[in-house]
Amino acid sequence: MAEIFRRFSLANPEPKGELEHTNSYTLLVAVVLSAQATDAGVNKATRALFEKADTPQKMLALGEDVVREHIKSIGLFRAKAKNVILLSEKLIREFGGEVPQDRDALETLPGVGRKTANVVMNVAFGAPTMAVDTHVLRVSNRIGLSSGKTPLQVEKDLLAKIPPEYGVPAHHWLILHGRYVCKARRPACPTCLIRDICRYPDKTPPAA
């Protein structure tokens, strides 16, 4: 475990998420919109939206119809536009317009589940959380970091095992590794920087 993350750290000392945002509020909105959508697709839809509305107050002023029009290229855009407005209202009403740093508080917001809360806490506030998406779950099972079959099981395994010094950037490394190297269909094992210590039994052979 320590060696895996040591190598990730050497290769990419300051990993970043790929969702574009300007503050904790636009990050929150972007993560809510990213459910069942690609980061690239969300970024394309939110650039113009965030130029007009980068606070809950400005988003409410735009209104649900305008938000929906901006994000109509994203899956489930109608429900997501509604949630963006509802969470903006709640932020103003209950949190003074600020994004809370507490997971329980975040999860009371419309459209926000545990994974979204973990991303916001990690990226916006530097908390050592583990947001388990399909990439993190697949990579953790494949390379031997966790045998958990649910996001929560994998999250608990990783938080218990990852060396503390890697706690904040770890989820970025795992997501990026799953997105670009340890892919679902044909993992790029020949170029993987942890190939020699990975426990995946069906490694992709080098090209002939």
Side-chain angles (χ1 to χ4, degrees), residues 22-59:
T22 57
N23 55 33
S24 58
Y25 172 73
T26 54
L27 172 67
L28 172 64
V29 172
V31 181
V32 167
L33 296 179
S34 72
Q36 299 181 49
T38 66
D39 288 0
V42 172
N43 291 339
K44 186 175 180 180
T46 56
R47 283 175 192 135
L49 175 63
F50 290 160
E51 283 183 5
K52 297 177 181 177
D54 60 357
T55 67
Q57 295 83 353
K58 292 177 183 177
M59 196 69 74

Short mmCIF file of all heavy atoms in Angstrom, two decimals, residues 22-59:
data_model
loop_
_atom_site.label_atom_id
_atom_site.label_comp_id
_atom_site.label_asym_id
_atom_site.label_seq_id
_atom_site.Cartn_x
_atom_site.Cartn_y
_atom_site.Cartn_z
N THR A 22 -14.57 27.48 -9.54
CA THR A 22 -13.87 28.69 -9.09
C THR A 22 -13.92 28.87 -7.57
O THR A 22 -13.16 29.65 -7.01
CB THR A 22 -14.49 29.94 -9.74
OG1 THR A 22 -15.89 29.99 -9.43
CG2 THR A 22 -14.31 29.90 -11.25
N ASN A 23 -14.81 28.15 -6.91
CA ASN A 23 -14.94 28.24 -5.45
C ASN A 23 -15.66 26.99 -4.95
O ASN A 23 -16.01 26.11 -5.75
CB ASN A 23 -15.67 29.52 -5.03
CG ASN A 23 -17.04 29.65 -5.70
OD1 ASN A 23 -17.72 28.66 -5.97
ND2 ASN A 23 -17.45 30.89 -5.97
N SER A 24 -15.89 26.91 -3.66
CA SER A 24 -16.50 25.70 -3.10
C SER A 24 -17.94 25.51 -3.60
O SER A 24 -18.41 24.38 -3.76
CB SER A 24 -16.47 25.74 -1.57
OG SER A 24 -17.15 26.88 -1.08
N TYR A 25 -18.63 26.62 -3.86
CA TYR A 25 -20.01 26.50 -4.35
C TYR A 25 -20.05 25.95 -5.78
O TYR A 25 -20.83 25.02 -6.07
CB TYR A 25 -20.71 27.86 -4.30
CG TYR A 25 -22.06 27.83 -4.98
CD1 TYR A 25 -23.14 27.17 -4.40
CD2 TYR A 25 -22.26 28.44 -6.22
CE1 TYR A 25 -24.38 27.11 -5.03
CE2 TYR A 25 -23.49 28.39 -6.85
CZ TYR A 25 -24.54 27.72 -6.26
OH TYR A 25 -25.77 27.65 -6.89
N THR A 26 -19.24 26.48 -6.68
CA THR A 26 -19.26 25.97 -8.05
C THR A 26 -18.72 24.53 -8.10
O THR A 26 -19.16 23.73 -8.93
CB THR A 26 -18.46 26.87 -9.01
OG1 THR A 26 -17.13 27.06 -8.51
CG2 THR A 26 -19.14 28.22 -9.18
N LEU A 27 -17.81 24.18 -7.19
CA LEU A 27 -17.37 22.79 -7.10
C LEU A 27 -18.54 21.90 -6.71
O LEU A 27 -18.78 20.85 -7.32
CB LEU A 27 -16.25 22.65 -6.06
CG LEU A 27 -15.85 21.20 -5.73
CD1 LEU A 27 -15.20 20.53 -6.93
CD2 LEU A 27 -14.93 21.16 -4.52
N LEU A 28 -19.29 22.31 -5.69
CA LEU A 28 -20.45 21.54 -5.24
C LEU A 28 -21.43 21.32 -6.39
O LEU A 28 -21.89 20.19 -6.63
CB LEU A 28 -21.13 22.27 -4.08
CG LEU A 28 -22.47 21.69 -3.60
CD1 LEU A 28 -22.29 20.29 -3.03
CD2 LEU A 28 -23.09 22.63 -2.55
N VAL A 29 -21.75 22.37 -7.10
CA VAL A 29 -22.69 22.27 -8.22
C VAL A 29 -22.14 21.35 -9.29
O VAL A 29 -22.84 20.47 -9.82
CB VAL A 29 -23.01 23.66 -8.80
CG1 VAL A 29 -23.82 23.54 -10.09
CG2 VAL A 29 -23.76 24.50 -7.78
N ALA A 30 -20.86 21.49 -9.62
CA ALA A 30 -20.25 20.66 -10.65
C ALA A 30 -20.29 19.18 -10.28
O ALA A 30 -20.56 18.33 -11.13
CB ALA A 30 -18.81 21.11 -10.91
N VAL A 31 -20.03 18.88 -9.02
CA VAL A 31 -20.03 17.48 -8.60
C VAL A 31 -21.45 16.92 -8.63
O VAL A 31 -21.67 15.77 -9.05
CB VAL A 31 -19.41 17.31 -7.19
CG1 VAL A 31 -19.42 15.84 -6.79
CG2 VAL A 31 -17.99 17.82 -7.17
N VAL A 32 -22.42 17.70 -8.23
CA VAL A 32 -23.83 17.26 -8.32
C VAL A 32 -24.19 16.98 -9.77
O VAL A 32 -24.86 15.98 -10.08
CB VAL A 32 -24.77 18.34 -7.72
CG1 VAL A 32 -26.23 18.05 -8.08
CG2 VAL A 32 -24.60 18.40 -6.20
N LEU A 33 -23.75 17.81 -10.68
CA LEU A 33 -24.06 17.63 -12.10
C LEU A 33 -23.31 16.46 -12.71
O LEU A 33 -23.73 15.93 -13.76
CB LEU A 33 -23.72 18.91 -12.88
CG LEU A 33 -24.51 20.16 -12.52
CD1 LEU A 33 -24.04 21.35 -13.37
CD2 LEU A 33 -26.01 19.95 -12.72
N SER A 34 -22.21 16.02 -12.08
CA SER A 34 -21.37 15.00 -12.69
C SER A 34 -21.90 13.58 -12.53
O SER A 34 -21.36 12.65 -13.13
CB SER A 34 -19.95 15.08 -12.11
OG SER A 34 -19.92 14.62 -10.77
N ALA A 35 -22.95 13.40 -11.73
CA ALA A 35 -23.51 12.06 -11.57
C ALA A 35 -23.98 11.53 -12.93
O ALA A 35 -24.74 12.20 -13.63
CB ALA A 35 -24.68 12.10 -10.59
N GLN A 36 -23.51 10.34 -13.29
CA GLN A 36 -23.85 9.71 -14.57
C GLN A 36 -23.52 10.63 -15.76
O GLN A 36 -24.26 10.66 -16.75
CB GLN A 36 -25.33 9.30 -14.59
CG GLN A 36 -25.68 8.28 -13.51
CD GLN A 36 -27.13 7.86 -13.55
OE1 GLN A 36 -27.66 7.51 -14.59
NE2 GLN A 36 -27.77 7.90 -12.38
N ALA A 37 -22.44 11.37 -15.63
CA ALA A 37 -21.98 12.24 -16.72
C ALA A 37 -20.46 12.30 -16.65
O ALA A 37 -19.86 12.02 -15.62
CB ALA A 37 -22.58 13.64 -16.58
N THR A 38 -19.83 12.67 -17.75
CA THR A 38 -18.38 12.80 -17.76
C THR A 38 -17.97 14.19 -17.26
O THR A 38 -18.71 15.16 -17.40
CB THR A 38 -17.80 12.59 -19.17
OG1 THR A 38 -18.26 13.67 -20.02
CG2 THR A 38 -18.26 11.26 -19.75
N ASP A 39 -16.77 14.27 -16.70
CA ASP A 39 -16.26 15.57 -16.26
C ASP A 39 -16.17 16.53 -17.45
O ASP A 39 -16.48 17.72 -17.32
CB ASP A 39 -14.88 15.42 -15.62
CG ASP A 39 -14.96 14.76 -14.24
OD1 ASP A 39 -16.07 14.44 -13.80
OD2 ASP A 39 -13.90 14.57 -13.62
N ALA A 40 -15.73 16.03 -18.60
CA ALA A 40 -15.61 16.88 -19.78
C ALA A 40 -16.97 17.45 -20.19
O ALA A 40 -17.08 18.63 -20.55
CB ALA A 40 -14.99 16.09 -20.94
N GLY A 41 -17.99 16.62 -20.13
CA GLY A 41 -19.33 17.07 -20.49
C GLY A 41 -19.86 18.11 -19.51
O GLY A 41 -20.50 19.08 -19.91
N VAL A 42 -19.57 17.90 -18.23
CA VAL A 42 -20.00 18.87 -17.21
C VAL A 42 -19.27 20.19 -17.41
O VAL A 42 -19.88 21.28 -17.36
CB VAL A 42 -19.75 18.31 -15.79
CG1 VAL A 42 -20.01 19.39 -14.74
CG2 VAL A 42 -20.65 17.10 -15.54
N ASN A 43 -17.97 20.13 -17.63
CA ASN A 43 -17.19 21.36 -17.83
C ASN A 43 -17.71 22.17 -19.00
O ASN A 43 -17.81 23.40 -18.93
CB ASN A 43 -15.72 21.02 -18.06
CG ASN A 43 -15.04 20.48 -16.81
OD1 ASN A 43 -15.51 20.69 -15.69
ND2 ASN A 43 -13.94 19.77 -17.00
N LYS A 44 -18.04 21.49 -20.07
CA LYS A 44 -18.55 22.18 -21.26
C LYS A 44 -19.85 22.91 -20.96
O LYS A 44 -20.08 24.02 -21.43
CB LYS A 44 -18.76 21.16 -22.39
CG LYS A 44 -19.14 21.78 -23.72
CD LYS A 44 -19.21 20.71 -24.80
CE LYS A 44 -19.60 21.33 -26.16
NZ LYS A 44 -19.68 20.29 -27.22
N ALA A 45 -20.69 22.28 -20.14
CA ALA A 45 -21.99 22.87 -19.82
C ALA A 45 -21.90 23.99 -18.78
O ALA A 45 -22.70 24.92 -18.79
CB ALA A 45 -22.94 21.78 -19.33
N THR A 46 -20.93 23.89 -17.87
CA THR A 46 -20.92 24.83 -16.74
C THR A 46 -20.07 26.08 -16.97
O THR A 46 -20.19 27.03 -16.19
CB THR A 46 -20.40 24.14 -15.46
OG1 THR A 46 -19.11 23.57 -15.71
CG2 THR A 46 -21.37 23.04 -15.02
N ARG A 47 -19.25 26.10 -17.99
CA ARG A 47 -18.39 27.28 -18.18
C ARG A 47 -19.22 28.56 -18.28
O ARG A 47 -18.98 29.55 -17.59
CB ARG A 47 -17.50 27.10 -19.41
CG ARG A 47 -16.32 26.16 -19.16
CD ARG A 47 -15.51 25.88 -20.39
NE ARG A 47 -14.60 24.76 -20.14
CZ ARG A 47 -14.41 23.75 -20.98
NH1 ARG A 47 -15.03 23.74 -22.15
NH2 ARG A 47 -13.58 22.78 -20.68
N ALA A 48 -20.20 28.54 -19.16
CA ALA A 48 -21.04 29.73 -19.32
C ALA A 48 -21.94 29.95 -18.11
O ALA A 48 -22.19 31.09 -17.69
CB ALA A 48 -21.90 29.60 -20.59
N LEU A 49 -22.40 28.85 -17.50
CA LEU A 49 -23.27 28.97 -16.33
C LEU A 49 -22.53 29.63 -15.17
O LEU A 49 -23.06 30.55 -14.54
CB LEU A 49 -23.76 27.57 -15.91
CG LEU A 49 -24.59 27.51 -14.62
CD1 LEU A 49 -25.89 28.28 -14.77
CD2 LEU A 49 -24.86 26.04 -14.24
N PHE A 50 -21.30 29.18 -14.91
CA PHE A 50 -20.57 29.73 -13.78
C PHE A 50 -20.08 31.16 -14.02
O PHE A 50 -19.80 31.88 -13.06
CB PHE A 50 -19.38 28.82 -13.42
CG PHE A 50 -19.79 27.49 -12.83
CD1 PHE A 50 -18.90 26.42 -12.84
CD2 PHE A 50 -21.05 27.31 -12.27
CE1 PHE A 50 -19.27 25.19 -12.29
CE2 PHE A 50 -21.42 26.08 -11.71
CZ PHE A 50 -20.54 25.02 -11.74
N GLU A 51 -19.99 31.56 -15.27
CA GLU A 51 -19.67 32.97 -15.54
C GLU A 51 -20.82 33.86 -15.08
O GLU A 51 -20.60 34.99 -14.64
CB GLU A 51 -19.44 33.17 -17.04
CG GLU A 51 -18.08 32.68 -17.52
CD GLU A 51 -17.86 32.96 -18.99
OE1 GLU A 51 -18.74 33.64 -19.61
OE2 GLU A 51 -16.83 32.53 -19.54
N LYS A 52 -22.04 33.35 -15.17
CA LYS A 52 -23.21 34.12 -14.75
C LYS A 52 -23.55 33.94 -13.27
O LYS A 52 -24.09 34.84 -12.65
CB LYS A 52 -24.42 33.70 -15.59
CG LYS A 52 -24.29 33.99 -17.07
CD LYS A 52 -25.52 33.47 -17.81
CE LYS A 52 -25.40 33.73 -19.31
NZ LYS A 52 -26.56 33.17 -20.06
N ALA A 53 -23.25 32.74 -12.76
CA ALA A 53 -23.70 32.44 -11.39
C ALA A 53 -22.64 31.62 -10.67
O ALA A 53 -22.53 30.41 -10.89
CB ALA A 53 -25.02 31.67 -11.43
N ASP A 54 -21.88 32.27 -9.80
CA ASP A 54 -20.87 31.55 -9.01
C ASP A 54 -21.16 31.60 -7.52
O ASP A 54 -20.31 31.28 -6.69
CB ASP A 54 -19.46 32.08 -9.30
CG ASP A 54 -19.32 33.57 -8.96
OD1 ASP A 54 -20.32 34.19 -8.55
OD2 ASP A 54 -18.20 34.10 -9.11
N THR A 55 -22.38 32.00 -7.16
CA THR A 55 -22.84 31.99 -5.78
C THR A 55 -24.28 31.48 -5.76
O THR A 55 -24.98 31.53 -6.78
CB THR A 55 -22.83 33.39 -5.15
OG1 THR A 55 -23.82 34.20 -5.79
CG2 THR A 55 -21.46 34.05 -5.27
N PRO A 56 -24.75 31.00 -4.60
CA PRO A 56 -26.15 30.56 -4.52
C PRO A 56 -27.13 31.67 -4.87
O PRO A 56 -28.16 31.43 -5.52
CB PRO A 56 -26.30 30.12 -3.06
CG PRO A 56 -24.93 29.86 -2.58
CD PRO A 56 -24.02 30.77 -3.34
N GLN A 57 -26.81 32.87 -4.44
CA GLN A 57 -27.71 34.00 -4.70
C GLN A 57 -27.85 34.27 -6.20
O GLN A 57 -28.97 34.49 -6.71
CB GLN A 57 -27.20 35.25 -3.98
CG GLN A 57 -27.21 35.17 -2.46
CD GLN A 57 -25.99 34.47 -1.85
OE1 GLN A 57 -25.16 33.91 -2.56
NE2 GLN A 57 -25.88 34.52 -0.53
N LYS A 58 -26.74 34.25 -6.91
CA LYS A 58 -26.78 34.48 -8.36
C LYS A 58 -27.48 33.34 -9.09
O LYS A 58 -28.19 33.56 -10.09
CB LYS A 58 -25.36 34.65 -8.91
CG LYS A 58 -24.66 35.92 -8.45
CD LYS A 58 -23.23 35.97 -8.98
CE LYS A 58 -22.49 37.20 -8.49
NZ LYS A 58 -21.07 37.21 -8.95
N MET A 59 -27.31 32.11 -8.58
CA MET A 59 -27.97 30.97 -9.22
C MET A 59 -29.48 31.08 -9.06
O MET A 59 -30.23 30.82 -10.02
CB MET A 59 -27.46 29.67 -8.61
CG MET A 59 -27.78 28.43 -9.44
SD MET A 59 -26.85 28.34 -11.01
CE MET A 59 -25.21 27.89 -10.43
#
